[in-house]
């Protein structure tokens, strides 16, 4: 079996396969022989099966396979164990009761308000009920799949191969998530040959809120501001089409013509000014429907640049895969403002390319408080916003003072070890931990070795088959509040002990260092005419995005979901 062949099979099919001795191992690369073409076709068919929402991932805490439908309730169980300082559920309810008393006594020693104390005690009691279920599972008649989202089986992405040779293919997929969202407020933008230069490519991903005016305008105009500033640094960038663009004209009128731009020395430096231009453009209120609070958006923009020696580098990648040092292929200049994030995946690790601007960041939290803005009990800025940075939000002058437009900017070298980069809006990240995203992606990549014994479990067995039935978690009507309050209590205990081990557990593999597209969609007849190697690449990037969107829906995401997959030469397909 190939590394990517993770199929959903019935028990009967599995038994038949065992009797036949299994399938012949498939090659990783396609070639001109008819036999190998058949194998490549099998790979494509097996990948296509993965687009169905039967998705199983490895829990990073207990290292067992969990169906994505059960992931949220499974993590509730782990949170409950953490709160009660247990490695596993105790044998008797008496032990659990004693531990509950210890937690409440500890709570009584903390200097908190009576209102907070009562809220925390209620959460401790809810947590007790969760763990009690594991001891006596027959006390409950709850449905562990109460959150099933039918939209997960109908997601449809697209993929294409751009002129920029740094990419094997690019996949896109979105979901409005109609169960929770009335409108689609996410937008995307991809521009191949950015500035008329084949070495450059542009990506924009925007997560809108309070309406889609801000995200739509950013999709349509922000690249113009970025291109104009880049053209001042690079002679081979064509900016003639954007010099007179409205976003640039408006900003030029408001600033001092003698303004010194000498601090802009490389591509990464253009983002703060471009974001400032965009925010000024949004202040005009174009397409806004509310006179009280205008729309806003989180933003992620990236400019990818090829190295001049890309041809020689691509030839040398095969030698790198045999153990030689990594080869530089280009750079990605990335900026984000809010909660749209980028995750780079390598064979043995993954790392974030962005910084999340929320109240979980202690520096961002303190900045909000210093601005005199209150943080509500449900962890929202003035009871409204989740993000501490973003574009737009001009309807409220006080909030605008603290929800700033300054992006986080970094430049990364793209070498031959990076297999793909996932760009996604908050709809994905709120439902799936980074490790889970990495797990889902690597299940699709043929270059990753998945043992035969585990492959069938990954594709077929749900948590109810793998686990003892006692680990089924009861549905709680206020589950989101319970989870959030669990985290609050754990934070209090962490502050008391000055212990940061919990975060290390959850981010062990992370090094914290509709769609609009300018390309015409690849039609079916064109796809059928492509060599097998290119068809496989197209299928891979598309199915990775579809599986991630399906997984987020099944894991109870409550936001719009948009995912981009940049498949890179490190994927070795």
């Amino acid at each position: 079996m190939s590394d990517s062949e993770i199929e959903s099979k019935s028990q009967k099919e599995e038994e038949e396969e065992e009797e036949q001795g299994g399938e012949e191992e498939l090659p990783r690369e396609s070639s001109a022989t008819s036999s190998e073409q058949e194998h490549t076709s099998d790979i494509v068919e097996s990948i296509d099966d993965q687009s169905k929402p039967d998705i199983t991932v490895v829990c990073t805490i207990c290292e067992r396979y969990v169906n994505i439908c059960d992931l949220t309730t499974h993590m509730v169980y782990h949170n409950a164990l953490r709160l009660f300082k247990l490695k596993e559920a105790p044998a008797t309810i008496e032990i659990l009761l004693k531990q509950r008393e210890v937690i409440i006594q500890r709570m009584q020693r903390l200097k908190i308000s009576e209102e907070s104390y009562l809220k925390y005690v209620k959460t401790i009691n809810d947590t007790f009920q969760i763990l009690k279920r594991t001891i006596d599972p027959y006390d409950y008649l709850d449905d562990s799949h109460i959150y099933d989202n039918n939209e997960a089986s109908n997601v449809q992405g697209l993929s294409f191969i751009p002129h920029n040779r740094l990419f094997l293919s690019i996949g896109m997929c979105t979901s409005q998530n109609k169960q929770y969202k009335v409108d689609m407020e996410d937008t995307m933008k991809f521009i191949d040959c950015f500035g008329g230069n084949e070495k450059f490519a542009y990506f924009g991903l925007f997560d809108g809120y309070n309406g889609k005016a801000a995200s739509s305008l950013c999709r349509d105009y922000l690249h113009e501001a970025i291109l104009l500033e880049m053209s001042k640094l690079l002679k081979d960038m064509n900016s003639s089409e954007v010099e007179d663009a409205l976003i640039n004209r408006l900003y030029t009128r408001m600033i001092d013509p003698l303004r010194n731009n000498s601090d802009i020395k490389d591509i990464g430096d253009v983002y703060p000014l471009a974001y400032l231009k965009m925010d000024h453009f949004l202040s005009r209120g174009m397409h806004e429907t509310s006179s009280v609070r205008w729309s806003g958006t989180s933003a992620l923009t990236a400019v990818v640049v090829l190295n001049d020696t890309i041809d020689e580098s691509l030839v040398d990648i095969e030698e790198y895969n045999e153990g030689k040092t990594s080869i530089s292929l280009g750079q990605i200049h990335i900026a984000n403002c809010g909660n749209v994030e980028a995750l780079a995946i390598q064979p043995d690790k993954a790392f974030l390319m962005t910084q999340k601007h929320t109240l979980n960041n202690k520096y961002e939290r303190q900045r909000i408080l210093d601005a005199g803005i209150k943080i509500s009990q449900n962890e929202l800025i003035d009871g409204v916003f989740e993000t501490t940075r973003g574009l737009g939000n001009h309807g409220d002058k006080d909030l605008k003072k603290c929800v700033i437009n300054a992006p986080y900017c970094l430049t990364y070298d793209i070498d031959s070890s990076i297999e793909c980069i996932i760009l996604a809006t908050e709809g994905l990240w709120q439902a799936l931990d980074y490790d889970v995203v990495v797990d889902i992606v690597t299940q699709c990549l043929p270059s990753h070795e998945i043992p035969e014994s585990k492959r069938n479990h990954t594709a077929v067995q749900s948590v109810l088959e793998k686990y003892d039935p006692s680990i089924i978690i009861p549905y709680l009507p206020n589950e989101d509040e319970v989870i959030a309050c669990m985290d609050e209590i754990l934070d209090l205990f962490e502050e008391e002990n000055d212990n940061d081990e919990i975060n290390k557990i959850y981010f062990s593999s992370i090094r914290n260092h509709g769609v609009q597209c300018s390309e015409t969609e690849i039609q079916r007849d064109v796809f059928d005419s492509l060599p097998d190697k290119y068809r496989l690449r197209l299928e891979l990037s598309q199915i990775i995005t579809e599986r991630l969107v399906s997984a987020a829906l099944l894991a109870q995401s409550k936001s719009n979901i948009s995912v981009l997959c940049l498949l890179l030469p490190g994927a070795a397909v």
Side-chain angles (χ1 to χ4, degrees):
M1 248 182 213
S2 76
D3 299 331
S4 67
E5 196 166 358
I6 307 172
E7 303 183 42
S8 299
K9 301 177 180 177
S10 67
Q11 185 67 33
K12 181 178 179 181
E13 289 172 327
E14 290 179 21
E15 292 172 357
E16 290 176 355
E17 185 178 343
E18 290 175 0
E19 291 175 1
Q20 296 171 3
E23 296 183 12
E24 183 180 352
E25 184 173 346
L26 296 171
R28 291 188 180 180
E29 297 184 1
S30 60
S31 68
T33 67
S34 60
S35 175
E36 289 176 334
Q37 287 177 351
E38 290 177 4
H39 286 317
T40 304
S41 179
D42 289 342
I43 292 177
V44 173
E45 290 177 4
S46 68
I47 292 172
D48 189 56
D49 287 341
Q50 294 180 46
S51 64
K52 299 174 182 178
D54 178 15
I55 303 171
T56 311
V57 297
V58 178
C59 172
T60 56
I61 299 175
C62 61
E63 297 183 350
R64 294 182 179 181
Y65 287 93
V66 182
N67 190 287
I68 201 72
C69 296
D70 304 302
L71 185 60
T72 297
T73 49
H74 179 72
M75 295 312 298
V76 170
Y77 169 73
H78 280 303
N79 283 345
L81 288 177
R82 288 171 57 208
L83 185 56
F84 271 62
K85 300 292 182 181
L86 297 169
K87 292 184 178 180
E88 58 185 16
T92 65
I93 293 177
E94 287 72 20
I95 297 175
L96 195 62
L97 283 168
K98 290 180 180 179
Q99 191 67 11
R100 173 184 170 278
E101 287 301 316
V102 171
I103 298 294
I104 290 179
Q105 289 175 11
R106 187 177 180 187
M107 186 64 61
Q108 291 171 342
R109 296 197 300 268
L110 297 175
K111 296 180 180 180
I112 55 177
S113 66
E114 181 179 356
E115 181 181 359
S116 295
Y117 173 77
L118 293 175
K119 181 179 73 170
Y120 293 153
V121 168
K122 181 181 182 302
T123 298
I124 292 169
N125 289 335
D126 287 338
T127 306
F128 171 82
Q129 294 298 327
I130 291 172
L131 295 175
K132 181 183 176 184
R133 169 83 184 272
T134 67
I135 301 170
D136 189 0
Y138 305 106
D139 280 351
Y140 301 88
L141 295 174
D142 300 299
D143 181 3
S144 64
H145 296 277
I146 196 165
Y147 293 112
D148 280 355
N149 192 325
N150 295 328
E151 198 173 344
S153 59
N154 299 315
V155 298
Q156 180 64 53
L158 62 91
S159 60
F160 54 91
I161 298 176
H163 290 92
N164 192 310
R165 286 169 293 166
L166 184 59
F167 306 108
L168 300 183
S169 66
I170 296 173
M172 297 178 171
C173 188
T174 67
S175 172
Q176 178 181 325
N177 198 0
K178 294 180 181 179
Q179 184 169 326
Y180 295 99
K181 301 293 289 186
V182 176
D183 295 311
M184 182 60 177
E185 297 172 327
D186 290 355
T187 60
M188 290 184 188
K189 183 82 169 182
F190 168 71
I191 302 177
D192 205 358
C193 304
F194 189 44
N197 193 322
E198 288 191 1
K199 289 172 53 180
F200 293 82
Y202 167 85
F203 297 89
L205 185 54
F206 309 98
D207 189 337
Y209 48 86
N210 293 337
K212 54 187 177 183
S215 61
S216 298
L217 290 170
C218 285
R219 174 197 63 199
D220 295 339
Y221 294 100
L222 181 52
H223 65 279
E224 295 178 341
I226 293 172
L227 179 56
L228 181 63
E229 299 307 318
M230 284 180 58
S231 67
K232 297 175 183 177
L233 296 170
L234 305 169
K235 295 181 180 179
D236 52 355
M237 299 294 289
N238 180 10
S239 64
S240 58
E241 297 180 1
V242 298
E243 287 180 356
D244 293 329
L246 182 59
I247 185 175
N248 293 315
R249 294 204 316 270
L250 287 174
Y251 187 77
T252 302
R253 292 172 186 169
M254 69 169 282
I255 63 173
D256 184 346
L258 301 178
R259 176 187 175 96
N260 185 8
N261 292 322
S262 60
D263 55 336
I264 300 180
K265 298 179 181 178
D266 57 41
I267 295 176
D269 293 335
V270 309
Y271 287 123
L273 180 56
Y275 276 54
L276 185 61
K277 282 186 180 182
M278 189 69 236
D279 205 40
H280 175 65
F281 186 77
L282 294 175
S283 70
R284 293 171 60 86
M286 190 182 298
H287 306 317
E288 294 291 350
T289 57
S290 172
S291 59
V292 179
R293 177 168 287 116
W294 291 358
S295 64
T297 185
S298 293
L300 182 152
T301 52
V303 174
V304 178
V305 187
L306 270 71
N307 285 350
D308 292 331
T309 58
I310 184 68
D311 291 327
E312 295 85 348
S313 299
L314 290 174
V315 171
D316 292 339
I317 284 183
E318 184 175 347
E319 296 181 4
Y320 161 74
N321 290 332
E322 294 177 359
K324 294 193 175 182
T325 57
S326 61
I327 301 164
S328 177
L329 304 175
Q331 294 77 39
I332 180 169
H333 305 275
I334 195 165
N336 80 298
C337 187
N339 56 15
V340 184
E341 297 185 87
L343 182 68
I345 298 175
Q346 296 173 301
D348 56 348
K349 60 185 175 182
F351 63 93
L352 286 169
M353 291 181 154
T354 50
Q355 184 179 89
K356 197 168 187 176
H357 299 120
T358 68
L359 293 173
N360 291 329
N361 183 319
K362 64 180 181 180
Y363 300 107
E364 292 291 291
R365 174 184 285 270
Q366 190 58 48
R367 184 175 58 76
I368 298 297
L369 294 174
D370 291 344
I373 304 298
K374 295 180 180 179
I375 297 174
S376 62
Q377 289 186 351
N378 57 349
E379 286 295 290
L380 296 176
I381 302 169
D382 202 30
V384 178
F385 290 160
E386 294 182 355
T387 55
T388 58
R389 302 192 187 199
L391 298 171
N393 313 305
H394 289 280
D396 190 315
K397 293 182 179 179
D398 290 332
L399 285 174
K400 186 59 185 172
K401 291 177 182 178
C402 66
V403 182
I404 60 177
N405 57 41
Y408 175 80
C409 310
L410 271 180
T411 296
Y412 295 89
D413 191 55
I414 298 180
D415 61 38
S416 47
S417 70
I418 300 180
E419 298 172 318
C420 69
I421 299 174
I422 301 298
L423 314 177
T425 56
E426 176 64 4
L428 179 75
W429 309 115
Q430 72 174 206
L432 304 176
D433 286 344
Y434 303 116
D435 289 332
V436 174
V437 172
V438 173
D439 194 355
I440 292 172
V441 172
T442 54
Q443 286 181 32
C444 297
L445 295 175
S447 57
H448 285 261
E449 182 68 30
I450 300 177
E452 179 77 19
S453 60
K454 291 185 177 180
R455 186 182 291 118
N456 291 337
H457 289 307
T458 301
V460 179
Q461 279 193 272
S462 71
V463 67
L464 303 182
E465 297 168 322
K466 182 70 179 180
Y467 280 61
D468 184 276
S470 64
I471 301 184
I472 301 173
I473 310 304
Y475 166 69
L476 297 171
N478 60 337
E479 184 173 275
D480 290 340
E481 296 177 14
V482 172
I483 295 172
C485 196
M486 281 182 185
D487 291 336
E488 286 184 33
I489 298 172
L490 287 165
D491 287 340
L492 284 173
F493 290 162
E494 280 187 57
E495 290 175 7
E496 186 182 33
N497 295 332
D498 194 26
N499 186 349
D500 196 38
E501 288 301 315
I502 294 173
N503 286 334
K504 293 179 182 178
I505 293 174
Y506 279 91
F507 300 102
S508 57
S509 71
I510 302 301
R511 187 178 70 187
N512 192 8
H513 199 132
V515 178
Q516 174 163 320
C517 175
S518 62
E519 292 297 297
T520 304
E521 292 185 25
I522 297 177
Q523 303 299 320
R524 192 71 209 180
D525 55 343
V526 176
F527 176 83
D528 291 339
S529 69
L530 290 171
D532 287 342
K533 177 174 68 174
Y534 296 104
R535 293 176 58 191
L536 174 59
R537 292 172 177 178
L538 287 167
E539 291 280 1
L540 271 174
S541 60
Q542 178 175 334
I543 287 166
I544 285 172
T545 59
E546 289 175 348
R547 283 175 67 81
L548 287 173
V549 171
S550 294
L553 290 169
L554 293 170
Q556 306 157 30
S557 174
K558 295 178 175 61
S559 299
N560 302 143
I561 308 163
S562 297
V563 179
L564 273 164
C565 173
L566 317 184
L567 194 65
L568 300 171
V573 291

